[in-house]
Amino acid sequence: MSPPDMKSGLLVTPAVAWLVIFMLAPCLLVLSYAFLERGTWGGVEYTLTLENIARAFDPLYARVFLTSARIAALATLFAVLLAYPAAYAIARAPRRWQPVLLFFAVLPFWSNYLIRTYAWIVLLNREGLVNNLLKALGYRGEPLSMLYSEPAVILGLVYNYLPFVILAIYSALSRLNPELIEASHDLGGGALRTFWRVTLPLSLPGVAAGGVFVFVLSIGNFVTPALLGGGRFQMIGNLVYDQFLAANDWPFGAALGMVLIAIMTALLLVQARLAARAGGDTARPA
Amino acid sequence: MSSVRAPSRLGGLVLAAIFAFLYVPIAVLVLLSFNASGLPTAWTGFSLKWYGALAGNANILHAAWNTLVVGLAATAISTVLGTLLAIGLETRRRKGTAIEALAFAPMVIPDIVLAVALLTFFSSLDITLGLPTIVVSHVIFDLAFVNAVVRARLKHFDFSIVEASRDLGAGYVTTFRRILLPALAPAIIAGALLAFTLSIDEFIIAFFTAGAGRSSITLPMQIYSMIRFGITPEVNALATLVMGLSATVLMISQWLNKEQAP
Amino acid sequence: MNARERAAAAAPPTHPAVLRIETVSKAFGAVTAVDRVSLDIRPNEFFALLGPSGCGKTTLLRMLAGFETPTGGRILLDGQDISPLPPERRPLNLMFQSYALFPHMSVRANLAYGLEMERRPRAEITRRVDELLATTGLSALADRRPDQLSGGQKQRVALARALIKRPKVLLLDEPLGALDKKLREQMQLELKRLQHEVGITFVMVTHDQEEALVMADRMAILRDGRLLQCGTPQEVYETPVDRFVADFIGVMNFIEGAVDPGGVFRAPGLDVPLARPAGTGALAVRPEAVEVLAGPAAGMPGTVLDVAYHGLDRVLHVRTEAAPLLRVRVAARHAAEWRAGDAVSLRIEPAHCLFFPDPAP
């Protein structure tokens, strides 16, 4: 039955007001800064200009965007490659175990991001556990410097966002009507062919949702490059941070933020389209 | 169905590997926090001395107190706003696409963008940065998650109990207080607990909206500066405590939310 | 037909109505869910609103309860217009199809809720809840939560909760819809017994014509938001106003044909004298009004397709020239053993036939 009239307009008002005042207005404000000139001591001069936007596409910064995009894309790829088998294994586990497995797969995601990143510093630094382990195994060379590198940043991103991708793919797989798989077997499809022709295509919306999420959060990430990249190379997030807290060039920081939001919006729209197109008749019967 | 439910050895192996990847780094951290030497190089015996050192560190205690205050305040506000929002959105007769998008945005907007936007906003209005501005900022994403948790519960909620209450003579407010809120209580509390862990763990937005100086530093900010400084046994102990708290709160949240799920 | 039913059916038209529905309409945008329905519901009767899904019966019931506002017409309770009142101020109660028991309250607390809303004294609430728990056989379950009850028990609690305020009219939305067939038949009788005991007017929505026939004193049949017919089960069964009602209530055979100028209905192999003006249409005849003649007599010839066993009687499915499938009810005890493929001869009693002319083109 349809829900009753609960004076819904009244109920949503406080939250909507909060979000409009403290999220929408600040975001629009900062975006408007992108079209203003920087002030001498931080802040802005109220003179319209397109210079900041143009500067964001300067080769120097375009390279940062490309680096960020490459790192985010690789993180997305590895996260999906690791998450798919894990989600598949959870979806095939006995039914009563599934919620528990899923909960523990997702648990780290909700806990402290800094600490999870820090854990990798402990493991990967020159006096860290991995190097000690290698020494114990008879490795006699110089300690490996694994930290402060692009692979370390990618590893950190994969580690942090993997749980969410598992969750997204699992929910697509668990919504799959098992009769579809039975039907494929019944029609003579072997296990591999069934997976390739039925399960995988039908779980792609989950892959897309998880993937877009990792990409969006990675490309705008600030903590992981700062800690695991050691400030040696920059991603957009760090660039934005620097413009606001170090270089005091707020308009340019705002322009970079605007590009970030544009990328995010475009990806979310693509994902929504994919999800809508795949939203056909694949669900379990109610 | 045998083809999908058969416990497979390969599946077990995959899960073991993934769980090892997810939990070994954390486990190492926890283990090191109890190592008397504090170094990753050698185990020199079990010790709680690094936890003792934390208790004597005034900076950390101050940051912990700030974090608790921010977490509780942001949770209280966002639980009320998020719950009302969820009920409102779920009972709307018209589709509220714009409001849906607004409620979804805090979960996907890059932290750094929201952080600089809030910094810009507060400073353009000459609002002094401090714990209140952190609370205001945290409520933004906290309320989005409370809304998501409560709405998930409302999706399989039998709203006819609301009509039954009206039919039996209860007005709007009584129905809300005696029927709707108690029936939704597990989801509301689960959402509140999730909001609390998100708030006490949040770093970037707090960092930008806390203002200069040490007075309104929070635990994640404290941890960040300690990590940048290097690996110390105290950080390991602090990290263990923070992770332990989050995990406990999350498990309670999960358990509560499952109790009444259909 | 029991005495009360007869009294209700024979009541003069000026009989005071407890609930009067006056040309009530409800439109949702461009869709008209209920279209100018007028009904009088009499004190202490068991009234059924019957129709296929989407006919508007539930919308009508929700307007009586106050959950939907009519877009036209009035609803009078004891002569007072209750249309502007919100649900909580109407002295009617609704038993919900999903039961709508409060999940976080015990059975006892569920029953007490309505009385607490009236701000009755504690002692009175306890007494009335205990009484009703006893009447409905729920005393042993008083402290259970709804999720610890079976479907039948939940149904009983929902009914008790709706009765506790002694409403002037009890509205029931498919009250037995969620029960299995066996429990359903048992509850039909129990519901009727309870209605006698409490002496409250019941208005029940159902899509199950058999249920309506068994339980109701009077019933209204709706289709596409419009009232087609209102009457006792016997009236509706024996003199349906149109072909839809005839088909919807009970089992009916239709034979397409035409009435000739002499007033005789003719179809291939069949002549039935009806004193009617000429025109094409359908002859409607109940399975029990068709007789199987012994031997190859001068009736309508047909071939048995199938014999369905129904305990005391059997239903023959017969193919004739006039109708591809004619259902014929025969008592099992004096029925010869018909088999599929047998040739039979059928006779239709003109007095038991109805004729529905085709609508004018």
Side-chain angles (χ1 to χ4, degrees):
Chain A
M1 63 164 299
S2 64
D5 179 26
M6 293 291 295
K7 307 194 197 308
S8 314
L10 213 66
L11 296 180
V12 301
T13 304
V16 167
W18 197 284
L19 292 174
V20 167
I21 296 171
F22 296 117
M23 182 183 74
L24 197 59
C27 285
L28 293 177
L29 179 73
V30 79
L31 292 187
S32 74
Y33 273 29
F35 300 98
L36 300 176
E37 280 181 6
R38 67 179 293 193
T40 324
W41 310 105
V44 285
E45 300 276 342
Y46 292 92
T47 318
L48 281 178
T49 173
L50 285 174
E51 199 185 306
N52 301 300
I53 310 279
R55 215 173 123 209
F57 293 98
D58 180 285
L60 180 66
Y61 300 109
R63 226 185 43 230
V64 178
F65 273 103
L66 287 179
T67 311
S68 305
R70 184 181 64 237
I71 289 176
L74 286 170
T76 306
L77 177 69
F78 288 119
V80 167
L81 287 181
L82 283 177
Y84 202 101
Y88 191 75
I90 294 176
R92 287 185 62 152
R95 191 152 276 288
R96 72 203 144 87
W97 279 94
Q98 291 184 20
V100 183
L101 289 171
L102 192 68
F103 174 70
F104 281 100
V106 177
L107 179 63
F109 182 72
W110 298 115
S111 67
N112 199 303
Y113 187 96
L114 279 177
I115 294 175
R116 281 180 291 145
T117 307
Y118 167 69
W120 283 100
I121 301 183
V122 173
L123 288 180
L124 297 182
N125 76 69
R126 288 171 71 89
E127 286 88 45
L129 213 76
V130 174
N131 272 316
N132 279 318
L133 215 62
L134 287 175
K135 214 189 290 177
L137 290 174
Y139 176 77
R140 287 293 167 259
E142 270 287 292
L144 299 177
S145 48
M146 292 165 282
L147 221 46
Y148 312 130
S149 64
E150 194 173 303
V153 175
I154 294 171
L155 174 67
L157 294 170
V158 169
Y159 180 71
N160 276 307
Y161 297 131
L162 180 63
F164 184 84
V165 190
I166 295 177
L167 180 66
I169 297 175
Y170 170 82
S171 54
L173 285 173
S174 69
R175 269 200 303 271
L176 214 86
N177 184 351
E179 284 180 9
L180 289 176
I181 291 158
E182 283 177 343
S184 168
H185 286 306
D186 185 57
L187 295 170
L192 256 177
R193 278 236 296 222
T194 297
F195 175 80
W196 199 245
R197 300 279 303 271
V198 179
T199 311
L200 185 62
L202 291 178
S203 59
L204 281 182
V207 174
V212 165
F213 181 86
V214 179
F215 190 87
V216 165
L217 288 183
S218 295
I219 199 167
N221 204 291
F222 158 72
V223 170
T224 306
L227 292 179
L228 296 181
R232 275 206 205 162
F233 60 95
Q234 288 208 305
M235 286 177 66
I236 313 174
N238 311 77
L239 212 52
V240 174
Y241 173 92
D242 286 346
Q243 300 312 314
F244 274 85
L245 293 191
N248 259 337
D249 190 348
W250 290 19
F252 183 50
L256 294 171
M258 197 156 121
V259 178
L260 210 50
I261 289 198
I263 294 172
M264 180 198 85
T265 310
L267 283 171
L268 287 175
L269 287 178
V270 167
Q271 190 238 318
R273 281 286 292 275
L274 281 177
R277 215 174 53 185
D281 195 20
T282 63
R284 284 169 197 281
Chain B
M1 53 173 294
S2 60
S3 59
V4 158
R5 298 284 162 246
S8 93
R9 199 160 300 178
L10 186 65
L13 223 61
V14 166
L15 284 178
I18 291 287
F19 278 103
F21 176 60
L22 286 175
Y23 282 96
V24 163
I26 296 170
V28 167
L29 207 60
V30 172
L31 216 60
L32 284 181
S33 76
F34 294 110
N35 188 2
S37 78
L39 299 171
T41 34
W43 178 259
T44 56
F46 179 85
S47 163
L48 288 175
K49 73 176 180 197
W50 306 115
Y51 291 87
L54 283 184
N57 187 328
N59 281 341
I60 287 175
L61 293 180
H62 175 67
W65 175 250
N66 282 344
T67 304
L68 196 66
V69 169
V70 167
L72 289 176
T75 301
I77 299 170
S78 61
T79 302
V80 174
L81 297 188
T83 301
L84 296 183
L85 177 65
I87 296 170
L89 280 176
E90 201 57 38
T91 56
R92 273 171 77 91
R93 299 223 162 152
R94 289 183 299 128
K95 268 177 74 180
T97 317
I99 301 180
E100 302 271 2
L102 196 65
F104 180 66
M107 299 199 270
V108 289
I109 202 164
D111 297 357
I112 187 81
V113 172
L114 191 55
V116 299
L118 285 161
L119 172 65
T120 312
F121 179 72
F122 289 133
S123 55
S124 73
L125 292 177
D126 277 328
I127 293 171
T128 314
L129 299 178
L131 293 186
T133 47
I134 305 180
V135 171
V136 163
S137 309
H138 277 190
V139 168
I140 295 167
F141 59 85
D142 277 351
L143 85 80
F145 280 94
V146 172
N147 170 55
V149 173
V150 175
R151 270 196 95 183
R153 177 80 186 93
L154 285 172
K155 288 270 180 248
H156 348 244
F157 189 76
D158 180 11
F159 275 103
S160 61
I161 65 169
V162 169
E163 291 189 337
S165 168
R166 301 288 299 275
D167 185 66
L168 291 167
Y172 180 77
V173 176
T174 309
T175 298
F176 215 91
R177 191 172 54 81
R178 288 206 46 189
I179 301 299
L180 196 54
L181 292 184
L184 286 176
I188 295 172
I189 297 170
L193 293 174
L194 179 61
F196 182 71
T197 62
L198 290 173
S199 188
I200 61 172
D201 285 340
E202 201 285 326
F203 164 60
I204 300 171
I205 292 169
F207 187 71
F208 274 77
T209 53
R214 290 206 52 87
S215 65
S216 43
I217 196 169
T218 64
L219 216 44
M221 290 158 71
Q222 175 73 26
I223 292 173
Y224 184 70
S225 64
M226 287 166 83
I227 294 171
R228 301 220 46 164
F229 193 68
I231 304 166
T232 63
E234 281 106 327
V235 183
N236 297 342
L238 186 55
T240 302
L241 286 178
V242 171
M243 299 280 283
L245 178 66
S246 296
T248 310
V249 173
L250 287 165
M251 279 191 227
I252 296 171
S253 163
Q254 167 82 2
W255 175 74
L256 271 175
N257 210 7
K258 213 173 58 181
E259 280 298 275
Q260 285 212 343
Chain C
M1 203 190 225
N2 65 32
R4 213 160 50 84
E5 210 173 88
R6 226 175 344 244
T14 51
H15 194 103
V18 58
L19 192 61
R20 167 165 284 176
I21 300 167
E22 275 184 7
T23 58
V24 163
S25 296
K26 175 72 186 180
F28 296 102
V31 183
T32 306
V34 175
D35 191 3
R36 287 160 293 164
V37 169
S38 295
L39 283 171
D40 274 359
I41 293 168
R42 299 167 189 163
N44 297 337
E45 74 175 334
F46 198 130
F47 194 91
L49 292 170
L50 175 68
S53 61
C55 72
K57 56 191 192 299
T58 297
T59 307
L60 183 58
L61 194 76
R62 288 173 59 80
M63 286 194 280
L64 299 181
F67 294 118
E68 305 287 353
T69 316
T71 43
R74 296 195 304 166
I75 298 165
L76 303 170
L77 184 70
D78 283 339
Q80 296 232 311
D81 187 4
I82 57 166
S83 317
L85 295 181
E88 61 265 30
R89 308 248 316 271
R90 296 188 183 198
L92 306 137
N93 284 118
L94 173 60
M95 183 189 153
F96 288 80
Q97 185 175 11
S98 70
Y99 307 143
L101 300 179
F102 305 133
H104 56 296
M105 292 185 187
S106 66
V107 168
R108 179 184 296 281
N110 263 281
L111 296 200
Y113 189 81
L115 296 176
E116 286 168 14
M117 293 305 125
E118 290 182 343
R119 305 191 190 285
R120 299 271 170 192
R122 235 326 104 192
E124 185 195 337
I125 295 178
T126 313
R127 182 178 53 77
R128 280 173 67 177
V129 169
D130 283 339
E131 275 173 21
L132 194 56
L133 283 170
T135 325
T136 47
L138 290 166
S139 300
L141 306 171
D143 296 316
R144 294 225 189 143
R145 295 264 183 127
D147 59 3
Q148 298 167 307
L149 301 176
S150 71
Q153 291 166 340
K154 282 185 196 164
Q155 195 261 0
R156 231 179 265 245
V157 176
L159 183 64
R161 190 181 66 178
L163 281 171
I164 196 144
K165 296 180 76 172
R166 297 175 189 148
K168 290 212 171 115
V169 176
L170 180 70
L171 309 170
L172 305 101
D173 187 4
E174 301 267 5
L176 308 175
L179 304 179
D180 60 49
K181 193 172 183 329
K182 197 121 198 169
L183 194 54
R184 208 177 156 109
E185 279 165 8
Q186 185 192 328
M187 290 309 294
Q188 285 176 355
L189 298 176
E190 201 171 318
L191 206 56
K192 233 179 131 109
R193 178 188 61 80
L194 197 73
Q195 194 239 347
H196 276 269
E197 268 175 39
V198 296
I200 288 176
T201 311
F202 277 28
V203 178
M204 173 180 80
V205 154
T206 181
H207 67 274
D208 182 343
Q209 48 89 21
E210 211 176 308
E211 192 167 285
L213 289 175
V214 170
M215 298 174 75
D217 296 325
R218 289 194 311 139
M219 57 210 270
I221 294 131
L222 290 108
R223 186 198 188 190
D224 297 334
R226 279 198 297 279
L227 175 66
L228 298 182
Q229 187 170 9
C230 176
T232 64
Q234 191 180 357
E235 284 165 0
V236 173
Y237 188 83
E238 291 177 0
T239 53
V241 292
D242 66 8
R243 189 171 167 166
F244 173 81
V245 176
D247 194 22
F248 190 67
I249 305 290
V251 179
M252 185 69 91
N253 295 302
F254 291 99
I255 301 167
E256 307 293 339
V259 177
D260 68 11
V264 177
F265 176 84
R266 290 183 196 281
L270 180 70
D271 295 339
V272 182
L274 306 165
R276 282 197 62 97
T280 58
L283 188 76
V285 54
R286 299 279 181 199
E288 57 268 33
V290 185
E291 197 186 340
V292 184
L293 301 174
M300 176 168 58
T303 313
V304 176
L305 296 172
D306 194 14
V307 183
Y309 180 77
H310 284 272
L312 269 184
D313 47 30
R314 262 153 232 218
V315 174
L316 305 186
H317 293 180
V318 181
R319 186 175 64 215
T320 64
E321 217 180 321
L325 172 66
L326 214 56
R327 280 158 293 193
V328 182
R329 176 160 299 172
V330 286
R333 66 193 137 84
H334 54 74
E337 279 295 325
W338 283 289
R339 287 204 176 76
D342 289 356
V344 289
S345 180
L346 306 174
R347 199 178 80 83
I348 290 171
E349 173 57 51
H352 292 144
C353 287
L354 296 164
F355 179 77
F356 298 108
D358 288 338

